[in-house]
Amino acid sequence: MGGEPGARQFTRIIHGGLAPDPTTGAVLTPIFQSTTFAQEAVGKDKGFTYSRSGNPTVAALERNLGEIEGCLPAACFATGMAAIHILFLATLKAGEHVVCSDVVYGGTVRLLRQVLADLGIRASYADTSDLAKLAAAITPETRLVLVESPANPTLKLTDLAGAARVTHDAGALFAVDNTLLPLVQEPFALGADVVVYSTTKYIEGHNATVGGALLTRDEKLAEKIRFLQNATGCIQAPFESWLTLRGLKTLPLRIARHSESALVIARFLEAHPRVTRVAYPFLDSFPQLELARRQQKAGGGMIAFEVEGGTAAGIRMMNSVKLCTLAENLGAIETLVTHPASMTHAPIPAVEREAIGITDGLVRLSVGLEDPEDLIADLERALAVQPEHA
């Protein structure tokens, strides 16, 4: 197990769990694009037999992520949703219950309602920003609490240390989806039992892969996750793992730049006369600013806002950007603008979306690495576009 994740961040990311290839001396971890591995004798191998069960390139990424987070080696999966699926299978069985944040990724809701409910796994959704509401949602059958903080896309925060105490007092496991804040927030230090990542986002960071990861310090739980990774066949592929390893090496630089630029752009949006509401954790106007400063090192790269004129105006603005890209992803070097109601959170019924703040006019902006002045100019021009028949 590694040391504290915040210590010597660059060194740990570049070297943690990694070494030059012993055969060739290659500094960069090779891609072991092989299905199978020769065995020296029956029952004697070199640690790998078949790439569904483990692969040297995937294992290098898993070690690296574990070193960065100061925990056991990660388990890496083909997608973020595969990681979430395995989390539920590893911690829940028929008749048992999970509590999720009320603002949670739409695919997680779809998985729970349309797949796992048929297997007898029950789920409920609570405003985990209110610890009393979290405690009220936990039942004797609750085995897991899954929190997104900041929540996607509203950026509502949960007091992770407080939520961990409530969850552990009830005898359940506490999992944190930390996809939006790798390195910026340290869930294990705040009481998490499991940390979830869509590595598709900031960790790989270049719009080149899909992937997911589960991390824990609990050896028994890690063993169960590994078993399910093999049994269900959802391990990440070698090439995606290699690309993710490459992306990871620049993560501290990228997440700092994302955060710095996002704060500049959030302040611009807040001052714009055609923007009615802006949510960004490090804005002075953010309702949970004190909590954000207490458990985050920076605000991250995502902003949520609404435009004067409601849904039609917001969609018109999103359809009018030129430098920003209208797309379903976040955390990449390119700035991406998303309409959550019709894209990422479409699986959630409209009435439920509205109740948790995901309005039809909400705009999600994932700030990339472009010059913020250029992004501001693009947004300013798009906000100025008027209806064709005004």
Side-chain angles (χ1 to χ4, degrees), residues 144 164 167-168 172-176 187-188 191-195 215-218 221:
L144 177 70
T167 302
H168 291 152
L173 291 172
F174 183 54
V176 176
F188 284 122
D193 300 297
V194 185
V195 176
L215 299 103
T216 184
R217 291 174 169 173
D218 182 325
L221 180 58

Side-chain angles (χ1 to χ4, degrees), residues 23-156:
T23 303
T24 65
V27 172
L28 196 62
T29 302
I31 306 172
F32 289 90
Q33 194 65 49
S34 181
T35 304
T36 192
F37 300 85
Q39 301 183 36
E40 297 177 11
V42 173
K44 185 178 180 183
D45 57 60
K46 295 182 178 180
F48 300 95
T49 58
Y50 190 73
S51 276
R52 188 195 71 238
S53 305
N55 174 281
T57 311
V58 181
L61 174 60
E62 292 174 334
R63 289 194 306 271
N64 192 222
L65 286 170
E67 288 285 330
I68 292 165
E69 293 285 346
C71 65
L72 298 167
C76 287
F77 300 92
T79 66
M81 282 310 305
I84 290 283
H85 195 175
I86 295 302
L87 171 65
F88 291 147
L89 293 181
T91 57
L92 299 160
K93 59 180 183 288
E96 294 181 339
H97 178 244
V98 55
V99 177
C100 295
S101 298
D102 57 351
V103 183
V104 70
Y105 175 55
T108 300
V109 176
R110 178 174 52 215
L111 174 65
L112 285 166
R113 289 183 174 172
Q114 297 179 237
V115 180
L116 296 181
D118 290 343
L119 303 180
I121 292 173
R122 297 185 299 106
S124 58
Y125 304 87
D127 180 359
T128 55
S129 70
D130 183 329
L131 297 183
K133 291 181 179 178
L134 170 59
I138 294 174
T139 74
E141 291 74 38
T142 303
R143 299 292 177 265
L144 177 70
V145 170
L146 172 63
V147 164
E148 281 188 15
S149 184
N152 175 16
T154 65
L155 301 178
K156 180 169 63 175

Side-chain angles (χ1 to χ4, degrees), residues 53-322:
S53 305
N55 174 281
T57 311
V58 181
L61 174 60
E62 292 174 334
R63 289 194 306 271
N64 192 222
L65 286 170
E67 288 285 330
I68 292 165
E69 293 285 346
C71 65
L72 298 167
C76 287
F77 300 92
T79 66
M81 282 310 305
I84 290 283
H85 195 175
I86 295 302
L87 171 65
F88 291 147
L89 293 181
T91 57
L92 299 160
K93 59 180 183 288
E96 294 181 339
H97 178 244
V98 55
V99 177
C100 295
S101 298
D102 57 351
V103 183
V104 70
Y105 175 55
T108 300
V109 176
R110 178 174 52 215
L111 174 65
L112 285 166
R113 289 183 174 172
Q114 297 179 237
V115 180
L116 296 181
D118 290 343
L119 303 180
I121 292 173
R122 297 185 299 106
S124 58
Y125 304 87
D127 180 359
T128 55
S129 70
D130 183 329
L131 297 183
K133 291 181 179 178
L134 170 59
I138 294 174
T139 74
E141 291 74 38
T142 303
R143 299 292 177 265
L144 177 70
V145 170
L146 172 63
V147 164
E148 281 188 15
S149 184
N152 175 16
T154 65
L155 301 178
K156 180 169 63 175
L157 304 185
T158 294
D159 178 346
L160 296 183
R165 287 193 299 272
V166 170
T167 302
H168 291 152
D169 285 349
L173 291 172
F174 183 54
V176 176
D177 187 331
N178 201 43
T179 294
L180 299 189
L181 294 178
L183 305 185
V184 171
Q185 182 170 259
E186 297 176 2
F188 284 122
L190 297 169
D193 300 297
V194 185
V195 176
V196 185
Y197 283 109
S198 170
T199 59
T200 309
K201 312 300 192 291
Y202 290 101
I203 285 178
E204 191 273 314
H206 292 74
N207 272 326
T209 69
V210 290
L214 295 177
L215 299 103
T216 184
R217 291 174 169 173
D218 182 325
E219 295 205 15
K220 186 174 180 182
L221 180 58
E223 184 178 344
K224 190 167 187 181
I225 289 169
R226 290 267 176 211
F227 170 81
L228 289 167
Q229 180 193 48
N230 179 48
T232 60
C234 57
I235 192 171
Q236 192 170 65
F239 186 45
E240 281 71 15
S241 291
W242 183 82
L243 286 169
T244 303
L245 271 170
R246 286 200 63 191
L248 257 172
K249 292 181 186 298
T250 60
L251 178 58
L253 294 170
R254 289 187 287 105
I255 199 71
R257 170 74 174 194
H258 286 301
S259 298
E260 290 165 8
S261 296
L263 182 55
V264 170
I265 292 166
R267 286 172 173 162
F268 154 76
L269 289 168
E270 190 171 49
H272 197 284
R274 297 204 60 209
V275 175
T276 58
R277 184 174 72 89
V278 181
Y280 181 72
F282 270 35
L283 277 179
D284 289 342
S285 60
F286 190 69
Q288 299 172 291
L289 177 62
E290 188 277 330
L291 175 60
R293 287 177 170 165
R294 189 168 77 238
Q295 67 185 19
Q296 300 175 203
K297 297 174 185 175
M302 200 163 86
I303 303 168
F305 66 98
E306 295 195 42
V307 178
E308 183 182 49
T311 302
I315 291 173
R316 185 167 62 250
M317 187 279 299
M318 285 183 269
N319 287 340
S320 300
V321 293
K322 301 297 182 185

